[in-house]
Amino acid sequence: MTSIPSTMKALVAKGFSLDSLELADRPVPQPRRGEILIRVRAVSLNYRDLAVLTGTYIPNLPLPFVPASDACGTVVAIGEEVNRFAVGDRVTPIYTQGWHDGLPTPQQRSSRTLGAPLDGVLQTYIVVPAEDAVRAPDLLSDQEASTLPIAGLTAWSALAEGNVKPGDTVLVQGSGGVALFALQFAKAAGATVIATSSSDAKLEKMKVLGADIGINYRTTPEWEHAVKDVTGGRGADLIVETGGATLSQSLTATAFGGFVAVVGFVAGYNATIQLRQLIGPVVRVQGIAVGSRARFDAMNRAIAANNIRPVIDSTRDISDAVAAFKHMEGGSHFGKVVVTL
Ligand SMILES: NC(=O)c1ccc[n+]([C@@H]2O[C@H](COP(=O)([O-])OP(=O)(O)OC[C@H]3O[C@@H](n4cnc5c(N)ncnc54)[C@H](OP(=O)(O)O)[C@@H]3O)[C@@H](O)[C@H]2O)c1
């Protein structure tokens, strides 16, 4: 058994910019009753991390803080009364700590998320309650499993809330982390997938992953009509709305009785819609906030059953984490940007 040091490396934000990130030494935390100590091996970055680092996403976030939410590592010590895990188990902490099933409480949603307001995972060791982690799927590497807590689970929840079924048409917007997982899960569910992207090269890669139709939203800015055209006028049964400001276009692209899972805001936070886009076609629109531990377990079973491998764009060591953030900010990535520790 490897010994646990007394100090560790942590990536600390001392201000609200990527250039304020610094590696610092911190004491290794000790697990208390019901908690596990995890030696973090891989962290995947999310669009949210960039938003948090601007200082606008979570108002009045105290400095300094450790960013990032999604990690995979190995349990190296357990507190008293931990039966859920043993030393040596590979685990991923859940993003919304304490949300185990059903809906979270408002308090869990606003104050119990890893990577702000709770301390983030870009540090060599973290402690979480044993109840707030799940076992990593055996078929995935640490790096692959680190992509699941936000990007994977959000895509899974969007499709689960939309009751995806074989024969449905699912539209995913862009080639970001959530969209790629949604593509993979939708194909596993037997759906036809329409993908949009600003890049023809990325659309080709999405077709390799199983996308049936690709639409370039730069060269076809009115892509909602293209969606209607390629579906014979029906539209998409389920849309994973990562654009946000594109909601009105998505509603136009939705089939009668369809579902829009409102997930993100990469195109902007504000959208203007016509109420008749909802009423006449009886469209359901629902916000998605990642997902519960029960959903995480269900997703992991589907990943194992369907041999789904998360798409990794690139991997960098924690000493190069700022470059990893800047790479993601640049937008050329395809798949998840991962930091190893
Ligand atoms: N609600 C939740 O629970 C939840 C969970 C996770 C993420 N999110 C949010 O969902 C969004 C996506 O997150 P992510 O982690 O998947 O991001 P990401 O990996 O950084 O990907 C962003 C992608 O969005 C695409 N994009 C940019 N502008 C677009 C536009 N105008 N229309 C359509 N696509 C556009 C780009 O794809 P191309 O390069 O292919 O054009 C870009 O690669 C973010 O707003 C994030 O905060 C929400």
Side-chain angles (χ1 to χ4, degrees):
M1 188 178 144
T2 45
S3 63
I4 300 166
S6 57
T7 60
M8 63 169 178
K9 293 281 178 219
L11 192 75
V12 175
K14 298 196 165 164
F16 292 110
S17 76
L18 293 184
D19 293 322
S20 75
L21 290 167
E22 281 176 22
L23 270 182
D25 287 323
R26 282 187 156 195
V28 172
Q30 298 295 314
R32 294 170 305 178
R33 185 185 303 267
E35 293 180 335
I36 54 176
L37 177 67
I38 303 170
R39 170 66 173 90
V40 177
R41 291 293 175 188
V43 168
S44 78
L45 307 184
N46 286 293
Y47 189 89
R48 177 188 191 273
D49 305 328
L50 290 173
V52 169
L53 279 161
T54 63
T56 53
Y57 190 68
I58 298 189
N60 308 317
L61 181 65
L63 292 169
F65 69 94
V66 175
S69 310
D70 287 0
C72 177
T74 305
V75 175
V76 289
I78 59 175
E80 293 163 43
E81 295 177 18
V82 170
N83 307 312
R84 198 171 149 76
F85 297 112
V87 169
D89 286 348
R90 266 177 359 115
V91 295
T92 51
I94 60 173
Y95 165 65
T96 309
Q97 298 272 288
W99 181 12
H100 298 158
D101 205 353
L103 278 179
T105 65
Q107 192 268 347
Q108 285 165 338
R109 270 298 306 139
S110 62
S111 62
R112 299 293 302 157
T113 51
L114 293 179
L118 296 181
D119 219 15
V121 294
L122 267 169
Q123 40 193 338
T124 330
Y125 292 88
I126 55 170
V127 158
V128 296
E131 292 294 331
D132 292 340
V134 299
R135 207 171 290 274
D138 288 339
L139 81 160
L140 301 187
S141 67
D142 293 343
Q143 296 174 27
E144 289 171 327
S146 78
T147 67
L148 300 176
I150 287 187
L153 187 52
T154 300
W156 178 265
S157 293
L159 298 192
E161 291 294 332
N163 300 317
V164 67
K165 56 189 183 307
D168 280 354
T169 297
V170 174
L171 174 78
V172 303
Q173 295 180 328
S175 60
V178 176
L180 293 186
F181 271 113
L183 189 176
Q184 291 175 295
F185 293 147
K187 288 310 295 181
T192 297
V193 174
I194 302 175
T196 69
S197 174
S198 58
S199 151
D200 289 343
K202 288 183 176 179
L203 286 174
E204 285 310 311
K205 290 183 183 174
M206 291 174 95
K207 285 186 181 166
V208 173
L209 284 175
D212 299 276
I213 295 157
I215 300 172
N216 187 317
Y217 64 79
R218 285 265 158 76
T219 54
T220 309
E222 295 187 350
W223 50 264
E224 65 275 29
H225 302 303
V227 172
K228 279 281 170 84
D229 286 347
V230 297
T231 53
R234 255 190 99 241
D237 300 285
L238 202 162
I239 296 185
V240 181
E241 174 70 37
T242 41
T246 46
L247 180 60
S248 177
Q249 288 179 276
S250 291
L251 291 173
T252 301
T254 305
F256 189 91
F259 179 81
V260 180
V262 179
V263 166
F265 41 83
V266 292
Y269 282 103
N270 298 313
T272 303
I273 63 166
Q274 300 294 321
L275 294 181
R276 293 175 70 172
Q277 292 179 286
L278 299 173
I279 298 167
V282 216
V283 168
R284 287 187 303 135
V285 177
Q286 187 183 316
I288 301 292
V290 190
S292 66
R293 190 186 77 188
R295 279 246 164 99
F296 204 146
D297 284 328
M299 173 182 72
N300 283 352
R301 288 193 294 274
I303 285 171
N306 294 281
N307 194 21
I308 290 172
R309 309 302 295 252
V311 183
I312 308 258
D313 169 85
S314 51
T315 303
R316 287 177 173 78
D317 182 71
I318 191 168
S319 57
D320 212 11
V322 175
F325 276 113
K326 287 186 175 173
H327 174 60
M328 193 174 70
E329 193 178 37
S332 65
H333 60 291
F334 183 84
K336 297 298 291 182
V337 177
V338 174
V339 173
T340 51
L341 301 87

